[in-house]
Amino acid sequence: MPTPNKTRTATSGARRSVSTDRDLTRLRAAITAFFFLDGFVFAGWVARIPAIKEQTSASEGALGLALLGVSAGGTATMMATGRLCRRFGNHPTTVAAGVLFAGSVALPPLTHSALALGLVLLVFGTGFGALNVAMNSAAVDLIAALRRPVMPGFHAAFSLGGMAGAGLGGLIADHLSPIRHLSLLAVFGLLLTAVAGRTLVSLPVPTPRVGTGPGAESGQATDLESAPGAQRPGRARWLVAVFGLIALCTAYGEGAMADWAALHLHQDLDTSAGLAAAGYAVFALMMAVGRLSGTALLERLGQTRTLIAGGATAAAGMLLGSLAPTIWLALLGFAVTGLGLANLFPVAIARAGALTGPGGVAAASTLGYGGMLLGPPTIGFLADWYSLPVALTTVAALAAVAAVVAYGTRNAARTAGS
């Protein structure tokens, strides 16, 4: 029969265990909210670009230069955010970045020239880049504690937030001015940041669980994310660059689909504007579906096989989507492409973070978003030289590159992650 002291100790230990599980659930919900915020606010801004172009009287070229402010601010900030995460912690940095990102979305409709628009978009892009690195770093910490590959679920929240933001923006574009719309969006974003951020800063960084979780007994756990920032072999930085390359290949496809899918359907397959718009919608929807089922897929196949299968599927889908002679085959191809690309970026970022912590997340994210910046203009130049369908096959080529790279580095990644 246990003594009273031992009984109290056992009860206290059980209570701490239950509390820890509850804290992990709360932490997961808070981080998910930030991913949703990221997609929702960014899509809301994108929906008002035509109105702000008219307001600033900017030409297409001037607007294009101004829009580079988002990419420039984001990519320039990502590496610095990794250092801020190491110094101040992932949770406080996520909240601070969320405040900057949500608050700055109200600035673009206050501008009346392309130069002013570009300057405020630098601020907006800074918040966007910082939030992406910080919240992904926080997610990597949580994944190490859960011992489950749940990163695709976080990125599914981003995709769903983007769909919601774009849909709402389209519905209210004719009823609210850009100033009112984006101001309300900023208020919503700041409120969500306050609610989710309160949970985030009140909870400690979770500690990794060793030898628990799915696959721990079978050895599959060695293929899951491990403790971020742990000591790794000298090849860790090289592997981060490899995962960054996979992220780049994925983001290239996402950027190309966002900017060129509708034009391809309208121009090359002679569809109506409404049906052409369904091209990216189908792609985005299937990407969200793929990410929602990503955790189950990763637990079943492991990360390397998921990357290989995803890249191969996306390559086949995009070949069909870009070269199909009919609209319905093209839409099927776009859907398969979204399903294939869905989990490449989340897995690549998670693996980079597991290897070297926030610095790995920052490096892989910078390469990844560089791909999103590179994709649309590359497609445009190739379309001028050859044709748009031929140019879109580069999405399939890079998806295949991602699959080949994942297969070629499978043993090195397993060794570094074990």
Side-chain angles (χ1 to χ4, degrees), residues 9-373:
T9 301
T11 304
S12 176
R15 193 171 293 146
R16 281 196 301 272
S17 177
V18 172
S19 177
T20 298
D21 291 340
R22 188 185 309 119
D23 287 348
L24 291 177
T25 300
R26 293 174 60 208
L27 193 56
R28 185 174 179 179
I31 296 173
T32 300
F34 276 103
F35 275 86
F36 179 87
L37 168 73
D38 192 29
F40 186 77
V41 170
F42 191 82
W45 141 249
V46 168
R48 303 317 301 252
I49 289 177
I52 292 175
K53 175 183 182 296
E54 183 178 351
Q55 175 182 303
T56 57
S57 301
S59 65
E60 282 76 7
L63 178 65
L65 290 174
L67 292 176
L68 281 177
V70 178
S71 300
T75 54
T77 304
M78 286 178 173
M79 293 304 297
T81 304
R83 292 190 289 271
L84 290 175
C85 287
R86 287 192 295 270
R87 180 171 182 179
F88 299 106
N90 297 331
H91 295 183
T93 305
T94 298
V95 176
V99 170
L100 177 61
F101 177 63
S104 61
V105 76
L107 298 178
L110 302 178
T111 61
H112 297 282
S113 69
L115 176 60
L117 178 61
L119 292 175
V120 300
L121 288 181
L122 276 172
V123 179
F124 182 66
T126 296
F128 178 74
L131 180 58
N132 274 271
V133 171
M135 68 185 184
N136 273 290
S137 298
V140 169
D141 286 337
L142 181 61
I143 289 166
L146 292 173
R147 296 293 294 169
R148 293 191 65 210
V150 297
M151 184 65 91
F154 293 125
H155 285 259
F158 172 83
S159 297
L160 294 173
M163 293 173 65
L168 181 63
L171 288 174
I172 67 177
D174 293 333
H175 305 286
L176 286 180
S177 67
I179 290 179
R180 289 185 177 181
H181 176 198
L182 296 186
S183 295
L184 289 173
L185 195 62
V187 171
F188 171 81
L190 291 171
L191 288 174
L192 185 57
T193 298
V195 173
R198 182 178 179 182
T199 299
L200 205 59
V201 298
S202 67
L203 295 174
V205 175
T207 56
R209 294 177 177 176
V210 180
T212 61
E217 294 180 1
S218 65
Q220 186 183 355
T222 58
D223 196 38
L224 304 179
E225 293 82 349
S226 55
Q231 292 296 323
R232 301 292 175 188
R235 72 183 80 180
R237 290 185 179 179
W238 173 76
L239 282 173
V240 166
V242 168
F243 290 120
L245 175 61
I246 293 174
L248 183 151
C249 293
T250 306
Y252 178 97
E254 290 188 54
M257 289 297 297
D259 287 3
W260 294 104
L263 183 61
H264 167 58
L265 297 179
H266 182 64
Q267 171 183 290
D268 299 315
L269 297 180
D270 198 28
T271 62
S272 66
L275 188 56
Y280 181 71
V282 167
F283 169 82
L285 176 62
M286 293 310 294
M287 178 168 278
V289 170
R291 287 174 170 175
L292 286 171
S293 58
T295 295
L297 186 67
L298 284 164
E299 289 178 335
R300 182 175 181 84
L301 298 181
Q303 293 183 348
T304 298
R305 281 182 288 181
T306 297
L307 289 173
I308 295 170
T313 299
M318 199 59 205
L319 283 176
L320 176 62
S322 58
L323 302 178
T326 67
I327 175 63
W328 302 113
L329 283 176
L331 288 176
L332 175 62
F334 289 166
V336 173
T337 302
L339 201 60
L341 291 181
N343 295 306
L344 300 190
F345 193 94
V347 172
I349 297 300
R351 289 296 290 151
L355 285 168
T356 57
V361 173
S365 297
T366 301
L367 285 171
Y369 286 105
M372 190 169 287
L373 180 64

